[in-house]
């Protein structure tokens, strides 16, 4: 039986949980202290009540591997991946001091044309980097974009949560933990072909962005 996250509990050999940040489809995200580098990070943990099947483990490890290969200013950075005896698999990521786009919209709508241009431009540059690496996000939505207000004005965007991303290989085949014909993602932002369970490509992300 796995441990339930609590403030002060250790994760791996170098992290200590500070407080919860949010919840997602694969688990919970906590702020933690990295004792080795003396910095704050975000730790993604699998839910304690979620059975850790081989598929689930592969999906978590795969998200870490996918994002770690994307070195881009508008994609959240992954620092570490491991398996804790009590918590199971975890991902240590960049801690973002901002709020997700949905929260920003709820509080400040309507956004100005300048804000919309900044957010869209940075998001599309992040997607371009991912697509160039053969990675399709497949769940692009306001909750997966963190918007940070810069000190000198302006906004900085980070694209997060590549948990159901798909890798398109050069031979024309694709790899994903989910099977073709299985619909995953958020219905409000899905391209029609994704909602049908068809094989998709990078254009599905562009549809979601629009």
């Amino acid at each position: 039986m796995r441990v339930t996250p609590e403030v002060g509990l250790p994760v791996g050999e170098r992290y200590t949980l500070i407080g919860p940040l949010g919840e997602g489809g694969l688990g919970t995200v906590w702020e933690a202290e990295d004792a080795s580098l003396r910095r704050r990070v975000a730790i993604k943990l699998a839910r304690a009540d979620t059975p850790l099947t081989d598929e689930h483990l592969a999906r978590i490890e795969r998200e870490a591997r996918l994002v770690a290969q994307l070195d881009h200013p508008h994609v959240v950075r992954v620092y570490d991946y491991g398996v804790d005896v009590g918590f199971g698999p975890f991902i240590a990521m960049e801690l973002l001091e901002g709020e997700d786009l949905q929260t920003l919209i709820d509080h400040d709508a309507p956004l100005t044309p300048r804000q919309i241009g900044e957010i869209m431009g940075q998001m599309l540059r992040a997607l371009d980097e991912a697509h160039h690496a053969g990675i399709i996000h497949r769940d692009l939505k306001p909750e997966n974009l963190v918007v940070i207000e810069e000190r000198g004005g302006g906004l900085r965007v980070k694209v997060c949560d590549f948990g159901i991303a798909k890798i398109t290989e050069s031979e024309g085949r694709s790899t994903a933990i989910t099977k073709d014909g299985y619909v995953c993602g958020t219905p409000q932002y899905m391209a029609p072909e994704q909602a049908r369970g068809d094989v998709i490509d990078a254009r599905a992300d562009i549809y979601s962005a629009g």
Side-chain angles (χ1 to χ4, degrees):
M1 186 173 181
R2 296 204 310 281
V3 175
T4 300
E6 292 181 9
V7 175
L9 290 180
V11 179
E13 298 180 355
R14 55 191 281 189
Y15 306 104
T16 302
L17 297 180
I18 294 173
L21 294 173
E23 197 170 317
L26 288 180
T28 58
V29 180
W30 282 66
E31 182 177 353
E33 177 75 21
D34 180 345
S36 296
L37 298 178
R38 296 185 180 179
R39 65 179 173 187
R40 300 290 177 91
V41 298
I43 295 275
K44 179 179 281 191
L45 300 168
R47 284 197 184 92
D49 59 353
T50 301
L52 288 181
T53 63
D54 289 343
E55 180 176 325
H56 193 95
L57 287 168
R59 185 171 169 183
I60 296 172
E61 182 178 2
R62 191 166 166 278
E63 179 184 356
R65 179 168 51 85
L66 282 175
V67 185
Q69 68 181 270
L70 294 177
D71 184 13
H72 191 273
H74 300 304
V75 176
V76 65
R77 294 180 62 193
V78 165
Y79 298 136
D80 190 15
Y81 168 79
V83 179
D84 181 84
V85 174
F87 291 107
F90 66 88
I91 301 174
M93 303 174 292
E94 175 183 12
L95 179 64
L96 301 175
E97 302 290 344
E99 56 187 7
D100 66 70
L101 178 58
Q102 186 61 60
T103 300
L104 181 65
I105 291 171
D106 291 343
H107 291 170
D108 299 336
L111 302 183
T112 67
R114 179 175 178 178
Q115 288 175 312
I116 294 169
E118 284 186 285
I119 292 168
M120 288 295 294
Q122 294 178 46
M123 174 180 59
L124 290 172
R125 286 195 288 276
L127 288 178
D128 181 65
E129 180 73 14
H131 295 163
H132 183 72
I135 299 170
I136 306 167
H137 190 288
R138 297 209 298 181
D139 194 22
L140 198 67
K141 57 185 177 182
E143 291 90 339
N144 285 339
L145 298 175
V146 173
V147 181
I148 304 156
E149 292 190 23
E150 302 276 38
R151 265 183 238 163
L155 302 174
R156 182 159 53 96
V157 173
K158 290 277 189 172
V159 179
C160 307
D161 204 346
F162 281 77
I164 61 171
K166 188 170 191 172
I167 306 173
T168 304
E169 299 175 337
S170 58
E171 295 84 1
R173 296 179 289 111
S174 63
T175 60
I177 297 302
T178 52
K179 299 175 182 178
D180 293 331
Y182 178 85
V183 177
C184 56
T186 304
Q188 300 96 304
Y189 302 98
M190 278 185 189
E193 61 272 25
Q194 185 174 354
R196 290 193 301 265
D198 296 343
V199 176
I200 62 169
D201 58 28
R203 291 173 291 184
D205 281 348
I206 303 303
Y207 180 97
S208 298

